Amino acid sequence: MAEPRLAVRRKSCAGSARKRSRAPVQPSAVCSPVAHKRLSSGEGPPAESSCSNDSEEDMFGDYDSFCGNDSLLAQVDDIEHKYLQDEKLAVKASGEIVPGDLQPGIPQKKQVSFSVPENMVVLKADKEDAFQVSETDAVGNSQEQTDSILDELPSSQLLYFEKMDELSSASRMSPASEGWNKCMNSSSEKIRSASSFCCDAECRNRATDSSLDFKSDLFKTESLKDHLKSAMTGNAKAQTLQVSKTKQLQEAVLSEEIYVARKTIESSSVDIGPFYGLPSKVKDLFRQFRGIEMLYEWQHDCLMLESLQQRRNLIYSLPTSGGKTLVAEIIILQELLCRQKDVLMILPYVAIVEEKVRGLSSFGIELGFLVEEYAGSKGRFPPIKRRKKKSLYIATIEKGHALVNSLIETERIDDLGLVVVDELHMLGEGSRGATLEMTLAKILYASKNTQIIGMSATLNNVGDLQKFLQAEYYTNNFRPVELKEYIKIRDTIYAVDSKTENGFTFSRLLNFKYSSNLEKADPDHIIALVTEVIPKYSCLIFCPTKKNCENVASMVCKYLKKEFRAHREKEKQDLIKNLKYIGNGSVCPVLKQTIPFGIAYHHSGLTNDERKSIEEAYSAGVLCLLACTATLAAGVNLPARRVILRAPYVANDFLKKHQYKQMIGRAGRAGIDSAGESILIVQEKDKHLVQDLINSPLENCYSSLLLELTKGMQTLLLSVVGLKIAVTYEEVNNFMCNTLLSVQKQLLSKERSLSEIIKDGLEKLIEKGLLKGRISEKDNNSKCTLTITPLGKATYKGSIDLAYCNLLYRELKKGLEGLILESNLHLLYLTTPYDTTSNCSPDWMIYLRQFNQLSGAEQKVADIVGVPESFITKKASGQAIRKNVDSAVVNRLYLSFVLYALLKETNIWSVSEKFNMSRGYVQNLLNSAASFASCVLRFCEELEEFWVYKALLTELTKQLTYCVKTELIPLMEVAGVLEARAKQLYNAGYKTLAHLANADPETLVKMIEHLSRRQAKQIVSSAKMLLSEKAEALQGEVEELLKVPTDIPETY
């Protein structure tokens, strides 16, 4: 894929056919490598090349003004003799030089001026009196000859004449000649700049020699002809641009050709190496970090697509585990290293963002780019503008949208060369899909230079997505490991076969003897299915609910043979110890029972630390069976030899085709298994539904802008006006033509057109006080300008749901009247997410107990927000309540009590027991509160009246993000380091970010329990990356501080 180099060469003119042979002459000028310069969209330094080694007979083919006229050097000799005679007239017998007006080699009443347009040096002779010359016959006779020579001389010879002039005038400068010298100095500076020439050390030293040395140099025997020969030789070798009049037209044409060539290839990647335009080091790093020796054929074909070579947008689709991510990573590296542009990678979940940050930080350290995490409460808006290194932003859907908004607002969107979207089918999934659609629509409208790459394993209506993203499409059915699909009805297993009438054919009967008791405990024969593969191979069981996951794990281990306990027994005991350490002495009873058999469950009810430990144990083979929910299918990569679907349901909803494909896609581990198997357990009553599921195509992906009005259409309209992408009704309509909704106009009802929906949305925003302007029936096509209000700006910049923005403003305003700062309880109430209250059911006895434990000042918070003590007391005692109290406020205060206890105790286990909640629920509440606190902080930063909240919320956001003791926060900032690991590192002496960044991975493995070599390397790489980011930001601040202002007042 190597880009052809664009070499600039001169053609010899007809007049240069005659060449002279001459003795080698050492060039007096420094060679300037200009022959081979790689042109790209970004101007880089020219590639160095050595001077030409061609024979000197060929050197002067380019210089028609010399080679075309054999008498030129003879003319130069005559001028030199006349010049020396004129100089002798001005020398006394004593040998001292008499001050005079003679200037060597310059014609009378003519000034040589130099202009440097682009890459050419043009020589002009202006008929102006620049200095006085003695009116002698000798000078007069030589004037015409000198004029013609100067018209033909290259810049290096003009520099020579300038030096000769300086030598002759060094000791006899007169006021009348100062103006000329200033003019010559100015012109010579331009020549130096244009031709990349500098004088040799000998010439530089002459200016400072004594007068005796000067006289000796002036009359040295070396002739002017020899000087010119030497300079011409050096000039030819260096391939310096010349100024011959006969060449000027050729140079102009060449410049135009170079300009056209540059424009033609400026959008294509610069080739800087043999590995798809990347250095060989990148290939070595993939081998070192990922164990990838070579690419699959489809990956090569995809990377060589013409659409990618021309940087057009691309959608590509392959089955799960086909290797899509590797292609995206190579394209990302091409953008960062070759085109020197920033990249945004959008991923669906926080866990995947963290995993990708850990995985790519090692590449960033080795290849010199930054990896920045935008998930939860992490990320700066706008991102820091880096001095030298380029950034890879890895973001969730929500954070990616906020990042794009900030880049558009600061007019830096063109710095973003590439946006990669994983799981593109999520465009059709509710509010998150609406947010993703908004992000992509803004990029398409605001930046014509940003390339978009979308990938997914489950796409159907690709035509709509292609039209929306203006993209090419590539697909392939490749899987590195063959996938065999089965369904099980009673004790019979059928193979899925789309060629048959009903979709599947008989395969085999289960060969497992069930007792009557076992038949009752395991009517779906799960034990028979899993014992065929474990413990030698791994297995995943997808269950409809979290509770079902735990029940299946417990049931399976009860009926397994004791031999299963012996498999990697020590590592399993270490895992239990680690989980006990994570829970401060507490371990889930189910996990304590199942882990000795190599079995565990995996769902959102686990804490972050527990989930990470279980994932690592499964990847290492310590655990061989996981009972999990559907979220694992779209989350971190945990493949298995066999995947079992416990039932064709997710919660109470029947399985969708794309969910089914994602789950079974986890079957088969590349490089380990020769084949993967999926088995869907079906009850007789669901048989026909499953037949439809197997034979049906994937679901279409539809715009969610209309389904999620406050998180979709209205949010989009508000931000479009706020970012000044569109500020009139007509411009807003034009922008909406770039959305997926505009492509899928069939979603609109016949009664309402898209323009009517837009008009309705703008009017509602004006009613809410978020926009100013007027939209009426007669003004539909008017140029009435829409402007955003301060509240509207704070809302979209804070990513606040429009359903709650006015309520948040009122509560923050009310807080200013009497903010209780004895503790952070009042602030916690203000930052408790509104959307968490609907699924909260307070335990009133716990509510009352927690209320009574508050101080008097803290109890006032309940009164301020509208929950009186009497209400809580009556609820706890079961009395009737006459006074209406907002249930959302009551629930929100209860959740703020949970958060308050968490920040005081920093122990999820103890808090979950205290409030009788699952620890996973408490963990998710904490994560949501940290993210919402960062949103409220950005909301307050846009409203001057809320200045007091800025410092308070900055610190609170950090506490909610990490929820650990202060000394552990620097370690928790590192991707992949959670609380348990941070405690281990801190106790081992790694107390700062610098400690981790400079740690030896081998030493870490020895000192930290349950830490693999791979994990240790990732932690060190992530720490180095974070340290590099912080250092880069500080260096940027220093440079900004030391920068000399351009508008300093001057005295006149």
Side-chain angles (χ1 to χ4, degrees):
M1 188 178 127
E3 289 277 317
R5 292 191 178 190
L6 186 61
V8 180
R9 299 185 182 275
R10 291 192 179 87
K11 295 179 182 178
S12 299
C13 293
S16 65
R18 297 165 54 198
K19 301 180 176 69
R20 290 190 296 268
S21 175
R22 54 186 69 187
V25 181
Q26 192 68 22
S28 61
V30 177
C31 287
S32 177
V34 297
H36 299 84
K37 181 176 182 180
R38 196 191 306 269
L39 296 178
S40 70
S41 57
E43 286 296 320
E48 291 196 5
S49 59
S50 58
C51 295
S52 175
N53 291 323
D54 295 340
S55 68
E56 291 185 4
E57 286 188 349
D58 298 327
M59 281 183 184
F60 300 98
D62 287 346
Y63 293 88
D64 57 52
S65 57
F66 286 93
C67 297
N69 186 355
D70 280 337
S71 65
L72 174 62
L73 293 175
Q75 294 175 19
V76 171
D77 276 340
D78 291 339
I79 293 174
E80 182 183 21
H81 288 308
K82 291 179 183 299
Y83 159 72
L84 292 175
Q85 290 172 5
D86 293 337
E87 280 295 295
K88 289 176 183 177
L89 295 176
V91 178
K92 290 186 177 181
S94 62
E96 293 182 7
I97 295 180
V98 178
D101 294 327
L102 186 64
Q103 300 290 328
I106 305 298
Q108 182 182 4
K109 294 186 180 180
K110 296 214 176 184
Q111 174 182 343
V112 181
S113 65
F114 303 89
S115 63
V116 192
E118 299 208 349
N119 61 344
M120 277 192 286
V121 180
V122 182
L123 188 65
K124 294 182 180 179
D126 297 331
K127 295 183 178 180
E128 297 177 3
D129 293 332
F131 53 90
Q132 298 296 322
V133 182
S134 300
E135 298 286 343
T136 63
D137 291 338
V139 176
N141 291 337
S142 66
Q143 178 175 323
E144 292 181 5
Q145 293 176 337
T146 314
D147 284 351
S148 64
I149 294 170
L150 287 172
D151 282 346
E152 300 291 330
L153 289 181
S155 54
S156 55
Q157 273 67 59
L158 290 169
L159 286 172
Y160 170 75
F161 279 129
E162 175 205 350
K163 283 297 173 186
M164 291 296 292
D165 167 55
E166 289 178 6
L167 295 176
S168 64
S169 60
S171 61
R172 55 186 177 86
M173 181 66 69
S174 65
S177 64
E178 287 182 8
W180 157 251
N181 283 318
K182 287 181 181 176
C183 180
M184 284 299 293
N185 288 338
S186 174
S187 299
S188 66
E189 285 300 316
K190 292 181 181 179
I191 296 172
R192 288 189 187 97
S193 174
S195 62
S196 301
F197 257 69
C198 61
C199 293
D200 59 8
E202 181 184 2
C203 290
R204 287 197 301 270
N205 292 337
R206 285 179 187 171
T208 58
D209 283 345
S210 63
S211 62
L212 186 60
D213 293 334
F214 165 75
K215 285 185 283 186
S216 174
D217 284 340
L218 182 64
F219 299 110
K220 62 191 288 188
T221 58
E222 183 181 15
S223 69
L224 174 61
K225 182 170 75 174
D226 290 334
H227 256 296
L228 283 178
K229 287 179 183 178
S230 176
M232 287 159 59
T233 303
N235 198 34
K237 286 183 176 180
Q239 300 186 20
T240 309
L241 295 174
Q242 60 172 326
V243 293
S244 166
K245 287 182 176 179
T246 60
K247 283 290 181 182
Q248 289 178 18
L249 184 57
Q250 294 176 2
E251 294 285 357
V253 172
L254 181 60
S255 296
E256 179 64 23
E257 289 174 351
I258 292 173
Y259 175 79
V260 172
R262 180 182 289 120
K263 284 295 181 184
T264 302
I265 68 172
E266 68 178 358
S267 63
S268 62
S269 294
V270 182
D271 186 352
I272 61 173
F275 183 66
Y276 301 98
L278 293 164
S280 298
K281 183 178 182 180
V282 174
K283 186 177 181 180
D284 296 336
L285 291 176
F286 276 115
R287 184 185 297 113
Q288 178 186 342
F289 296 144
R290 305 280 179 81
I292 297 172
E293 294 290 339
M294 59 185 295
L295 270 62
Y296 298 129
E297 184 179 350
W298 84 263
Q299 292 172 327
H300 171 77
D301 293 343
C302 186
L303 287 168
M304 298 304 293
L305 287 173
E306 184 181 354
S307 55
L308 283 183
Q309 308 304 313
Q310 297 179 4
R311 296 197 73 253
R312 295 200 296 269
N313 296 344
L314 176 70
I315 299 169
Y316 64 101
S317 177
L318 279 97
T320 302
S321 304
K324 297 184 295 297
T325 305
L326 177 60
V327 170
E329 288 175 349
I330 292 174
I331 296 171
I332 286 169
L333 293 177
Q334 288 173 343
E335 195 71 21
L336 290 165
L337 303 181
C338 301
R339 298 194 70 249
Q340 291 290 301
K341 290 281 190 176
D342 296 330
V343 176
L344 169 61
M345 188 177 197
I346 299 177
L347 302 171
Y349 303 111
V350 173
I352 307 178
V353 169
E354 292 172 345
E355 183 184 41
K356 190 58 66 179
V357 168
R358 291 196 300 273
L360 290 177
S361 289
S362 302
F363 286 85
I365 294 297
E366 295 292 335
L367 299 173
F369 61 86
L370 299 174
V371 179
E372 302 185 38
E373 180 180 346
Y374 280 76
S377 61
K378 294 182 179 179
R380 296 199 190 194
F381 302 98
I384 298 172
K385 191 171 179 65
R386 304 297 180 178
R387 301 178 328 46
K388 297 177 182 177
K389 295 183 178 180
K390 296 303 170 184
S391 291
L392 167 58
Y393 310 114
I394 303 181
T396 56
I397 292 171
E398 294 76 15
K399 291 292 180 179
H401 182 225
L403 180 66
V404 168
N405 281 346
S406 68
L407 290 174
I408 293 174
E409 184 181 27
T410 54
E411 299 182 346
R412 288 168 50 193
I413 189 64
D414 285 330
D415 291 346
L416 198 62
L418 174 68
V419 175
V420 174
V421 182
D422 195 9
E423 310 293 356
L424 186 64
H425 63 269
M426 290 197 73
L427 275 168
E429 296 190 10
S431 62
R432 306 195 77 214
T435 302
L436 182 56
E437 181 179 346
M438 289 187 274
T439 305
L440 296 175
K442 288 173 185 174
I443 293 169
L444 288 166
Y445 192 84
S447 175
K448 302 305 178 187
N449 300 319
T450 303
Q451 184 183 17
I452 296 175
I453 304 290
M455 53 181 170
S456 174
T458 54
L459 288 177
N460 190 33
N461 56 331
V462 178
D464 287 353
L465 302 182
Q466 279 187 266
K467 193 172 179 181
F468 166 45
L469 296 177
Q470 303 156 35
E472 305 288 324
Y473 179 58
Y474 175 87
T475 187
N476 196 303
N477 291 323
F478 172 82
R479 268 187 62 94
V481 177
E482 182 188 2
L483 173 61
K484 298 176 181 177
E485 295 179 49
Y486 301 96
I487 67 166
K488 188 190 82 68
I489 304 175
R490 296 193 183 92
D491 60 351
T492 306
I493 294 180
Y494 299 89
V496 173
D497 185 357
S498 58
K499 297 176 183 177
T500 61
E501 184 178 348
N502 61 0
F504 35 81
T505 57
F506 173 81
S507 177
R508 64 187 174 94
L509 291 172
L510 278 177
N511 183 21
F512 190 89
K513 293 181 180 180
Y514 269 76
S515 65
S516 58
N517 289 335
L518 183 55
E519 188 74 39
K520 291 178 182 177
D522 182 23
D524 295 323
H525 309 105
I526 292 174
I527 292 174
L529 294 173
V530 300
T531 51
E532 289 178 347
V533 290
I534 66 169
K536 185 177 180 181
Y537 300 106
S538 57
C539 182
L540 294 175
I541 304 177
F542 285 102
C543 303
T545 65
K546 289 184 286 187
K547 188 63 179 174
N548 192 229
C549 291
E550 298 177 26
N551 291 340
V552 167
S554 296
M555 183 271 295
V556 171
C557 74
K558 281 180 184 177
Y559 293 96
L560 287 180
K561 296 178 181 178
K562 292 183 179 179
E563 288 78 12
F564 282 88
R565 296 178 68 100
H567 181 73
R568 304 185 72 164
E569 187 174 6
K570 184 180 182 303
E571 286 122 306
K572 293 176 200 171
Q573 291 302 320
D574 288 342
L575 175 58
I576 292 175
K577 288 179 184 176
N578 189 37
L579 291 172
K580 191 173 183 179
Y581 178 74
I582 288 170
N584 287 339
S586 301
V587 182
C588 171
V590 176
L591 291 176
K592 192 173 182 179
Q593 174 197 6
T594 62
I595 287 176
F597 290 90
I599 300 170
Y601 64 86
H602 182 289
H603 57 60
S604 60
L606 297 168
T607 66
N608 291 342
D609 283 293
E610 288 175 320
R611 196 178 305 126
K612 185 173 175 60
S613 295
I614 288 172
E615 289 168 358
E616 290 172 352
Y618 177 82
S619 297
V622 176
L623 297 176
C624 56
L625 173 64
L626 289 184
C628 52
T629 52
T631 53
L632 181 73
V636 292
N637 187 24
L638 295 175
R641 173 65 174 266
R642 176 175 289 180
V643 169
I644 300 170
L645 281 68
R646 171 71 177 75
Y649 290 91
V650 175
N652 295 320
D653 300 322
F654 193 79
L655 198 62
K656 294 179 181 177
K657 184 63 176 273
H658 77 270
Q659 293 172 326
Y660 171 74
K661 283 291 186 183
Q662 279 190 324
M663 290 181 192
I664 67 172
R666 294 299 182 192
R669 297 170 298 173
I672 300 175
D673 299 326
S674 58
E677 299 173 337
S678 70
I679 301 175
L680 171 58
I681 298 174
V682 181
Q683 305 301 321
E684 195 68 42
K685 64 182 180 68
D686 294 324
K687 183 177 178 180
H688 294 295
L689 291 175
V690 170
Q691 284 178 333
D692 293 340
L693 173 72
I694 297 297
N695 297 319
S696 66
L698 288 161
E699 293 84 9
N700 286 336
C701 179
Y702 293 119
S703 171
S704 299
L705 287 179
L706 291 182
L707 299 176
E708 303 285 339
L709 282 178
T710 59
K711 291 184 178 180
M713 178 64 79
Q714 290 182 22
T715 295
L716 177 57
L717 295 176
L718 178 66
S719 60
V720 162
V721 174
L723 293 169
K724 298 181 180 177
I725 294 174
V727 293
T728 66
Y729 178 79
E730 183 180 358
E731 289 175 353
V732 172
N733 267 309
N734 290 338
F735 170 83
M736 291 300 297
C737 293
N738 287 272
T739 62
L740 179 60
L741 178 61
S742 176
V743 173
Q744 298 173 332
K745 289 184 178 176
Q746 73 272 19
L747 298 179
L748 304 174
S749 63
K750 294 181 181 179
E751 293 78 20
R752 300 181 72 201
S753 65
L754 180 58
S755 60
E756 289 174 327
I757 293 171
I758 294 169
K759 173 178 170 291
D760 185 49
L762 291 172
E763 286 178 342
K764 287 183 178 177
L765 291 173
I766 293 170
E767 287 174 16
K768 290 181 178 180
L770 304 177
L771 289 181
K772 289 181 182 178
R774 186 165 51 86
I775 302 293
S776 62
E777 290 294 335
K778 61 180 180 181
D779 291 330
N780 275 0
N781 297 314
S782 73
K783 300 290 183 181
C784 178
T785 301
L786 296 164
T787 57
I788 195 165
T789 64
L791 177 59
K793 187 176 183 182
T795 299
Y796 92 78
K797 291 191 73 171
S799 302
I800 304 296
D801 187 341
L802 269 60
Y804 305 117
C805 63
N806 285 294
L807 175 59
L808 176 63
Y809 178 82
R810 288 195 301 270
E811 291 189 330
L812 290 170
K813 188 80 172 173
K814 187 177 180 181
L816 291 178
E817 299 171 5
L819 191 63
I820 306 296
L821 294 177
E822 181 179 294
S823 69
N824 52 20
L825 177 61
H826 200 167
L827 285 173
L828 283 170
Y829 173 80
L830 294 173
T831 55
T832 300
Y834 291 102
D835 54 6
T836 58
T837 60
S838 58
N839 58 357
C840 173
S841 300
D843 183 315
W844 294 107
M845 291 304 298
I846 295 174
Y847 207 145
L848 180 61
R849 190 184 309 125
Q850 292 299 313
F851 181 84
N852 290 332
Q853 290 176 3
L854 299 175
S855 67
E858 289 170 338
Q859 288 181 353
K860 288 181 182 178
V861 174
D863 282 329
I864 291 172
V865 301
V867 184
E869 181 181 0
S870 59
F871 174 83
I872 300 173
T873 304
K874 289 180 180 179
K875 273 288 188 181
S877 61
Q879 299 179 33
I881 307 294
R882 295 179 182 176
K883 184 179 179 181
N884 289 329
V885 177
D886 189 344
S887 61
V889 174
V890 173
N891 292 353
R892 196 160 173 239
L893 181 63
Y894 185 67
L895 293 177
S896 66
F897 285 177
V898 177
L899 293 170
Y900 182 50
L902 260 178
L903 292 189
K904 285 205 311 186
E905 300 179 28
T906 67
N907 187 322
I908 291 176
W909 272 87
S910 63
V911 172
S912 63
E913 290 173 3
K914 183 180 292 184
F915 285 87
N916 196 23
M917 294 176 168
S918 74
R919 59 195 185 283
Y921 180 86
V922 175
Q923 176 76 74
N924 292 332
L925 173 64
L926 180 63
N927 295 341
S928 299
S931 182
F932 187 63
S934 68
C935 293
V936 176
L937 172 58
R938 295 204 303 277
F939 180 88
C940 293
E941 286 174 342
E942 295 301 319
L943 297 169
E944 290 184 11
E945 60 195 298
F946 294 149
W947 63 270
V948 71
Y949 287 114
K950 294 178 187 177
L952 297 171
L953 290 176
T954 300
E955 185 59 31
L956 182 66
T957 301
K958 183 181 287 188
Q959 291 178 26
L960 288 169
T961 300
Y962 302 110
C963 193
V964 293
K965 294 179 180 178
T966 307
E967 63 266 21
L968 296 180
I969 289 178
L971 301 178
M972 293 276 287
E973 289 178 341
V974 178
V977 177
L978 299 178
E979 182 181 3
R981 187 73 77 205
K983 287 178 180 177
Q984 286 180 311
L985 292 167
Y986 189 86
N987 293 335
Y990 298 94
K991 299 184 178 182
T992 66
L993 183 61
H995 283 148
L996 271 188
N998 293 284
D1000 176 21
E1002 296 299 327
T1003 306
L1004 280 178
V1005 171
K1006 293 175 183 176
M1007 297 183 68
I1008 307 298
E1009 285 187 312
H1010 319 301
L1011 182 68
S1012 68
R1013 186 169 285 100
R1014 174 176 164 273
Q1015 292 163 0
K1017 288 179 178 179
Q1018 284 190 341
I1019 286 173
V1020 172
S1021 294
S1022 298
K1024 284 181 178 177
M1025 178 58 65
L1026 187 57
L1027 195 64
S1028 176
E1029 285 178 29
K1030 292 189 174 186
E1032 186 86 5
L1034 290 172
Q1035 287 167 357
E1037 288 182 26
V1038 169
E1039 288 189 2
E1040 194 65 31
L1041 283 172
L1042 297 179
K1043 187 187 293 184
V1044 178
T1046 57
D1047 56 350
I1048 299 176
E1050 296 181 6
T1051 56
Y1052 295 96

